[in-house]
Amino acid sequence: MPARVRAPFLAVSLVAGLLLAPSALAQDLSGRIVELIRGADLGQGAVVGVSIIDCRSGTSIAAYNEDEALQPASNMKLLTTGAALAILGPDYTFTTRVTVSGDDLVLVGSGDPALGDPEVLSQMDPPMTADDMLDAVAGGVQRGNVTTLNSIIIDDRIFDREMVHSGWPADQLDKHYAAGVSGLNFHANVLAFYPAPGPGGPGSLATCEVEPSAPWIPIQVDARTVGRDGRHQYGVLRDPAQNRFTVYGQIKAATQVAARVALHDNNLFFGRLLAFRLSRSGVAIGSARGSAQLLEHVRLAGPGESFTIDRTLAVITTPLADVIRRCNVDSVNLYAEALIKLMGHDLTGDAGSWTNGAAALRMTIADRLGPEAAASTIISDGSGFSRQNFVEPSVMTAWLRSISNDAEFGDEFLASLPTIGEGTLESRFQTVPTGNRILGKSGTINSVRCLSGFIVHEASGRRLAYCVMVNGLREGTDGPRNAMRLHERIVGEADAWLTRRAEASSANVGG
């Protein structure tokens, strides 16, 4: 470096100036963020928390109410998926087994939330449907020369049987995002409804296809066919206490995008679907004569019941990395709940539950961030759908830094997050320019809008972790929309800060 040899005093001055620059830049960023918050028009009662840190040093770049415990909504999934990588390891694989024990077919669940998930199946090569998968499993049973069965037994005991969290809104439990979690999930624990115009033309009852086909479930179609000038609008209601569905509204054309409705008590669903497939293909199941009797031969494993496995007929696996990516990119609540229960099972050896899963997550936070961070974090569920979760923005960014910096699985965690134009960030940052790679996880429940993730300067590898949480918004006003704009403007300012900092560092190296 010739300049340093000839003029050492000048070189020291330049270095000193660059050492001061980040502090000055950080002050400018914090001030700009305060301005953005004050001008955001979030409405009375809104509370904002912001934390932005440097992932290399852990230095706080900007902060605002960073130690205020706030509801994270789906930002909770960042804690859950990070802890799953830490506890289970990045090479963990969910394994579901179809086995024979005497005269019984035993389906041994692993809690895999991706089993039969239509989105996952559609991305396979070649693509599959849930019905295709059921046919494949039934074919495996037939190839095993199974012609008669006494029962089909669901061994779902890797998890407890509290499928719906007590903190979830009771009026939303039929929504697809409130699907219950069990030790043997299938088709994301929802039914997909595809209404179409009735053959009798306008005024006639519509028809409706259901995936996967579940002939024992009563479905009442009250929706009517309308002509080309009519309005296409429909919905599906589920009885709160049972799997009984009603399709209502007006149908003008065949529906291409399904209405997805959560099943009630879903842990028997896969076994019942398979029973119908096997029965139709000639496998005798007990003394069943008709649908009602067939269902009687599908049951849950009893407490303490043990099985001697004679043969394994089929094995279905899903890598943890695939589950974590679907959880974070598409924000599927079922996936997060399966992960938190699985962590509880791994910790205790008992059936995974929200209680022991929360304990496992809290222990991981304490191990990585310290007991104070764990004590300030209230964990109710794994997805953030419950309003009883609370996380400080500063804890969230410290967590993001810790997980992303981990040599064993940091890259897998970063790869699980969507970037702009992808997943839940598909329509974000439309009006806010960014020069770096933005990774993020959105979070939305009533009155809450959050966004957390990373800003990555690709050339230098420098990375910021950010968390912007807004609580206390009033739905039906401009507040929620303005909160999302605030997320993007704050991230945009941090993005510009990182670019300036990286350029300053580059100039120092070049000089």
Side-chain angles (χ1 to χ4, degrees):
M1 300 176 66
R4 292 181 183 269
V5 174
R6 292 195 299 268
F9 177 78
L10 177 60
V12 171
S13 298
L14 283 171
V15 172
L18 287 170
L19 288 173
L20 291 172
S23 175
L25 286 172
Q27 291 175 4
D28 290 344
L29 179 60
S30 292
R32 178 60 181 146
I33 287 173
V34 171
E35 291 177 3
L36 290 173
I37 293 170
R38 289 175 178 171
D41 191 19
L42 301 174
Q44 188 174 4
V47 180
V48 180
V50 178
S51 175
I52 304 172
I53 66 171
D54 186 311
C55 287
R56 183 177 296 171
S57 65
T59 302
S60 175
I61 304 303
Y64 183 92
N65 285 342
E66 72 275 20
D67 296 327
E68 179 88 14
L70 299 170
Q71 293 175 0
S74 280
N75 278 197
M76 190 72 193
K77 295 182 176 76
L78 296 171
L79 298 182
T80 301
T81 54
L85 284 167
I87 291 173
L88 304 172
D91 297 327
Y92 183 87
T93 299
F94 291 86
T95 304
T96 305
R97 291 181 169 86
V98 180
T99 67
V100 174
S101 176
D103 294 328
D104 295 324
L105 193 70
V106 182
L107 309 181
V108 184
S110 61
D112 184 357
L115 184 68
D117 182 342
E119 181 64 25
V120 173
L121 293 176
S122 70
Q123 296 174 13
M124 296 180 66
D125 186 17
M128 295 180 67
T129 66
D131 288 327
D132 292 336
M133 182 175 181
L134 287 164
D135 288 339
V137 174
V141 174
Q142 289 179 291
R143 286 190 297 274
N145 296 318
V146 176
T147 58
T148 61
L149 290 169
N150 181 49
S151 298
I152 295 178
I153 302 172
I154 309 299
D155 190 350
D156 63 338
R157 294 173 296 178
I158 190 170
F159 295 166
D160 67 2
R161 289 174 179 160
E162 183 185 3
M163 287 171 279
V164 174
H165 193 280
S166 61
W168 294 353
D171 62 346
Q172 298 179 44
L173 296 181
D174 62 343
K175 308 303 182 186
H176 67 89
Y177 52 79
V181 59
S182 67
L184 185 60
N185 308 291
F186 188 75
H187 201 255
N189 296 338
V190 302
L191 277 184
F193 293 79
Y194 293 89
S204 66
L205 282 175
T207 62
C208 188
E209 295 289 334
V210 177
E211 289 185 2
S213 177
W216 74 91
I217 294 180
I219 298 171
Q220 180 174 328
V221 181
D222 290 340
R224 294 281 173 176
T225 304
V226 296
R228 65 176 59 185
D229 295 331
R231 185 177 180 184
H232 184 82
Q233 56 180 8
Y234 76 97
V236 182
L237 295 175
R238 192 202 75 204
D239 187 308
Q242 60 183 324
N243 283 321
R244 182 181 293 273
F245 298 85
T246 302
V247 183
Y248 64 91
Q250 301 180 138
I251 306 300
K252 181 167 62 174
T255 302
Q256 302 300 316
V257 179
R260 296 179 296 144
V261 185
L263 289 157
H264 178 76
D265 286 349
N266 54 63
N267 49 2
L268 287 170
F269 186 56
F270 183 46
R272 288 174 169 176
L273 289 169
L274 186 58
F276 274 85
R277 282 294 194 289
L278 292 172
S279 179
R280 285 205 302 263
S281 64
V283 177
I285 303 177
S287 58
R289 298 290 185 273
S291 298
Q293 289 183 332
L294 188 61
L295 296 180
E296 293 175 359
H297 290 275
V298 182
R299 68 174 180 86
L300 298 174
E305 185 176 8
S306 60
F307 304 99
T308 299
I309 302 303
D310 301 321
R311 289 182 292 156
T312 297
L313 303 178
V315 176
I316 307 164
T317 61
T318 305
L320 176 64
D322 291 351
V323 168
I324 287 177
R325 177 151 175 84
R326 176 116 162 90
C327 182
N328 284 336
V329 170
D330 299 316
S331 201
V332 184
N333 290 347
L334 170 66
Y335 280 54
E337 305 308 345
L339 288 173
I340 195 170
K341 286 196 172 190
L342 184 60
M343 289 187 284
H345 169 72
D346 186 85
L347 173 69
T348 64
D350 298 328
S353 67
W354 277 296
T355 299
N356 58 27
L361 177 49
R362 186 173 293 106
M363 286 176 58
T364 308
I365 294 172
D367 288 344
R368 302 187 76 94
L369 306 183
E372 290 185 2
S376 71
T377 304
I378 298 176
I379 302 164
S380 178
D381 66 6
S383 67
F385 190 33
S386 169
R387 304 192 73 87
Q388 297 160 15
N389 297 292
F390 288 91
V391 183
E392 295 177 358
S394 59
V395 170
M396 181 64 78
T397 52
W399 174 261
L400 293 175
R401 174 180 180 251
S402 173
I403 298 297
S404 66
N405 284 352
D406 195 287
E408 184 184 2
F409 50 76
D411 289 345
E412 284 82 356
F413 181 69
L414 288 167
S416 77
L417 296 176
T419 189
I420 295 173
E422 184 181 31
T424 56
L425 296 188
E426 183 177 5
S427 59
R428 301 297 298 268
F429 294 90
Q430 297 289 311
T431 61
V432 175
T434 57
N436 298 294
R437 186 167 180 240
I438 308 298
L439 303 171
K441 179 77 199 71
S442 61
T444 302
I445 55 175
N446 187 43
S447 80
V448 175
R449 301 292 187 275
C450 301
L451 186 70
S452 300
F454 301 94
I455 307 168
V456 183
H457 187 269
E458 301 276 23
S460 67
R462 293 292 297 272
R463 185 169 65 241
L464 302 182
Y466 67 86
C467 175
V468 186
M469 304 173 73
V470 187
N471 285 195
L473 297 162
R474 292 181 58 192
E475 301 295 337
T477 70
D478 290 337
R481 181 178 58 193
N482 291 340
M484 294 172 72
R485 290 175 178 170
L486 177 64
H487 296 162
E488 295 168 10
R489 289 170 179 167
I490 289 175
V491 172
E493 292 289 337
D495 173 84
W497 182 95
L498 179 58
T499 298
R500 294 194 299 269
R501 178 71 182 97
E503 289 175 351
S505 297
S506 177
N508 182 38
V509 171

